[in-house]
Amino acid sequence: VDVLIAQGQHKEALSALESYLPGLENNIRARQKFAELLWKVKGTDVALPYLKELVESAPDESGSLVLYAKMLNEKGDQDGAVIAAQKALKLLPTQAELHLLLGKIYGQRGQLDQALHHLSEAVRQSPGDVEAYLELGGVYRERREYLNALYVYQQAISLFPSDIRAYVQAASVLRETKDYAGAEAMLRKASQLAPDDLNVHRQLSAIIALNLIHHAQEVNVTS
């Protein structure tokens, strides 16, 4: 099953595991993998009832709770996702993916202190995950802590120099702080990395215009 999954053959992996599942009722790992494959192949509506039964039969199994939190969040049940994620973190606090999930949910709800805590943990525990940096920078931006936001985006740029999202988000912060030249530099870099991205080109054109206007106004004031 693991070999089939590694080859991207999820339907075949699900079929193979399903044929052996009756003899693996006490094997939590196999049942978790079956639930995850059900999710990938047949969707949340099919996988969620099976996983719910698994969680209820083994409530202290963190792996099941992690999957359950993710599925509930995808289903739109943020309250249920938060409860499942918090239970899993009590069992195993070092789970960066759960801190990231909770950080996103709290950020969407406007609970920025909680979001900041969990996203900071996600970055600390998994410094190789660009998503955590982007979400953390976004929370600092929402809190109008622009220097902290830029610091986080600069970290992301240093660690993931080919990912344009950090450049684009840093440009947005620089634009909000009226550093149009800095924003333009960020977007030019993003444009070089993704020359076919129309959204980046539109933002770059807009910031070039703003930068020219701002520069002209400064010249008029000086003269």
Side-chain angles (χ1 to χ4, degrees), residues 139-203:
V139 169
Y140 276 126
R141 181 182 173 189
E142 285 292 312
R143 289 162 62 99
R144 298 185 183 278
E145 297 181 30
Y146 296 123
L147 288 178
N148 286 332
L150 286 171
Y151 176 73
V152 171
Y153 291 141
Q154 287 289 358
Q155 283 184 307
I157 288 168
S158 297
L159 292 168
F160 316 98
S162 61
D163 193 315
I164 69 167
R165 291 175 295 174
Y167 297 95
V168 172
Q169 291 192 23
S172 296
V173 172
L174 290 165
R175 178 172 177 168
E176 287 182 27
T177 57
K178 301 189 186 312
D179 183 353
Y180 301 122
E184 182 179 335
M186 285 290 178
L187 288 170
R188 285 192 183 279
K189 181 60 179 178
S191 179
Q192 291 170 4
L193 291 168
D196 297 326
D197 192 312
L198 295 178
N199 180 50
V200 170
H201 285 296
R202 281 194 292 267
Q203 291 191 52

Side-chain angles (χ1 to χ4, degrees), residues 66-215:
V66 170
L67 272 178
Y68 196 45
K70 290 179 178 179
M71 285 194 202
L72 288 171
N73 184 58
E74 185 174 287
K75 190 68 177 173
D77 183 1
Q78 288 189 339
D79 291 336
V82 167
I83 291 170
Q86 288 175 338
K87 284 183 180 178
L89 284 174
K90 286 180 181 179
L91 295 167
L92 189 61
T94 54
Q95 297 193 62
E97 59 182 338
L98 284 184
H99 284 294
L100 178 58
L101 175 63
L102 286 168
K104 286 181 177 180
I105 291 174
Y106 283 128
Q108 291 166 7
R109 292 177 166 185
Q111 296 172 269
L112 300 183
D113 289 343
Q114 294 94 321
L116 188 61
H117 164 71
H118 286 290
L119 293 172
S120 296
E121 278 298 301
V123 166
R124 186 181 68 81
Q125 293 180 15
S126 183
D129 185 355
V130 65
E131 201 72 31
Y133 288 90
L134 297 175
E135 293 289 336
L136 180 59
V139 169
Y140 276 126
R141 181 182 173 189
E142 285 292 312
R143 289 162 62 99
R144 298 185 183 278
E145 297 181 30
Y146 296 123
L147 288 178
N148 286 332
L150 286 171
Y151 176 73
V152 171
Y153 291 141
Q154 287 289 358
Q155 283 184 307
I157 288 168
S158 297
L159 292 168
F160 316 98
S162 61
D163 193 315
I164 69 167
R165 291 175 295 174
Y167 297 95
V168 172
Q169 291 192 23
S172 296
V173 172
L174 290 165
R175 178 172 177 168
E176 287 182 27
T177 57
K178 301 189 186 312
D179 183 353
Y180 301 122
E184 182 179 335
M186 285 290 178
L187 288 170
R188 285 192 183 279
K189 181 60 179 178
S191 179
Q192 291 170 4
L193 291 168
D196 297 326
D197 192 312
L198 295 178
N199 180 50
V200 170
H201 285 296
R202 281 194 292 267
Q203 291 191 52
L204 178 57
S205 297
I207 204 67
I208 288 172
L210 273 174
N211 199 16
L212 287 171
I213 293 169
H214 181 67
H215 181 68

